[in-house]
Amino acid sequence: MKIYVSEDYKDMSRKAANIVSAHVILNPACVLGLATGSTPIGMYKQLIDWYNKGDLDFSQVKSVNLDEYVGLAPTHDQSYRYFMQTNLFDHVNIDPANTNVPNGLASDPEAECERYNQVIRSMGGIDVQVLGMGHNGHIGFNEPGHAFELETHVVNLTERTIEANARFFASKDEVPKRAITMGIKSIMQARQILVVVSGEDKAEIVKKAFYGPVVPEVPASILQMHANVVLCGDKAPLSKIM
Ligand code: F6R
């Protein structure tokens, strides 16, 4: 694993964006695995900035996102499709047809998972998968205890995740109870994994994930078994491992 320690969030975002740009520059038709959440927002801003300066061209890039809530329309402001449109896709020249987020409105979510697996396969796999990490070590919506060997699948969200997400909805009842997520198996098949972390509150889980035992109770711990992981963080989340 390569670790890049940054002074602060801005610097971390820039380093992470550098890694993603390297893929886009060296392979203009690369497949980017993307994540939502607060951590990669600065990275997306940086990529948009470089695109606006003429340094990046997304016209042939393909993307595949980690996850989406079941039941949310792409136009819902809490859907992950909406997040991607507003934080990246609407601001660069990526072809909308080349962007993939699981369809939260699919009438048959299980069939949607199978379709999504086929999409990833048909693109020849993922060149770099961006991952944020939950405080409990979740990656995508793969919560503690989930099997490592799953591809895209439907998950029931834990009470803790529902509660954590409630602040983004009018009430807790409106928080989706299920999501579609790439599984650990799909994530592990990416040729490179770029983990972004920020904030002191991630220090403990970073230590557990990268230096603790590899166990389903800490989903991100499986990343220790991947041959090409880059961990980008500011000082605080890396404080217990450096
Ligand atoms: C995002 C995702 C989640 C987040 C994780 C960390 O698509 O699947 O696993 O990466 O919850 O979120 P932040 O970055 O908000 O701490």
Side-chain angles (χ1 to χ4, degrees):
M1 173 173 66
K2 277 198 198 81
I3 305 179
Y4 290 108
V5 197
S6 302
E7 270 309 309
D8 52 28
Y9 178 73
K10 195 160 185 264
D11 187 31
M12 181 282 284
S13 301
R14 192 183 168 86
K15 286 221 168 65
N18 257 311
I19 293 162
V20 173
S21 325
H23 282 272
V24 175
I25 291 166
L26 292 172
N27 176 9
C30 65
V31 178
L32 302 179
L34 301 175
T36 64
S38 54
T39 318
I41 290 178
M43 181 190 83
Y44 293 138
K45 278 208 175 88
Q46 182 64 76
L47 290 171
I48 293 167
D49 195 34
W50 287 333
Y51 165 74
N52 285 331
K53 288 189 171 127
D55 291 340
L56 283 177
D57 174 15
F58 289 86
S59 59
Q60 296 176 65
V61 168
K62 299 181 210 73
S63 75
V64 59
N65 259 77
L66 276 174
D67 43 15
E68 179 61 285
Y69 289 115
V70 169
L72 291 195
T75 48
H76 190 291
D77 66 1
Q78 292 305 319
S79 77
Y80 287 178
R81 164 55 79 174
Y82 183 88
F83 175 103
M84 289 312 302
Q85 292 300 139
T86 49
N87 284 290
L88 182 66
F89 300 156
D90 288 348
H91 307 284
V92 297
N93 65 338
I94 195 164
D95 179 346
N98 284 341
T99 67
N100 297 279
V101 180
N103 177 7
L105 290 185
S107 55
D108 181 349
E110 307 291 344
E112 171 61 8
C113 294
E114 209 23 66
R115 184 196 69 83
Y116 208 67
N117 288 331
Q118 289 301 341
V119 167
I120 299 172
R121 268 181 221 123
S122 70
M123 294 190 307
I126 299 166
D127 290 303
V128 58
Q129 176 64 56
V130 177
L131 290 181
M133 205 162 60
H135 293 103
N136 60 2
H138 73 228
I139 46 179
F141 270 114
N142 297 280
E143 298 287 354
H146 279 196
F148 280 154
E149 64 272 20
L150 294 175
E151 295 188 302
T152 310
H153 61 288
V154 178
V155 291
N156 293 319
L157 304 190
T158 61
E159 198 51 35
R160 193 173 163 192
T161 301
I162 293 170
E163 263 161 30
N165 289 340
R167 63 200 152 108
F168 301 121
F169 292 82
S171 75
K172 195 179 147 191
D173 292 343
E174 282 185 28
V175 183
K177 308 288 180 285
R178 294 192 301 160
I180 293 175
T181 184
M182 271 189 212
I184 300 279
K185 182 174 173 187
S186 337
I187 293 170
M188 289 296 280
Q189 283 169 348
R191 287 180 273 283
Q192 183 175 56
I193 294 183
L194 169 60
V195 184
V196 287
V197 282
S198 181
E200 202 179 344
D201 53 333
K202 295 276 172 79
E204 194 55 46
I205 192 62
V206 165
K207 185 175 165 204
K208 265 196 190 164
F210 293 105
Y211 294 91
V214 176
V215 285
E217 285 65 38
V218 184
S221 64
I222 191 71
L223 301 175
Q224 293 178 41
M225 313 297 282
H226 194 284
N228 189 355
V229 174
V230 180
L231 174 60
C232 261
D234 43 72
K235 280 183 173 162
L238 306 182
S239 59
K240 290 188 194 285
I241 61 166
M242 303 299 285

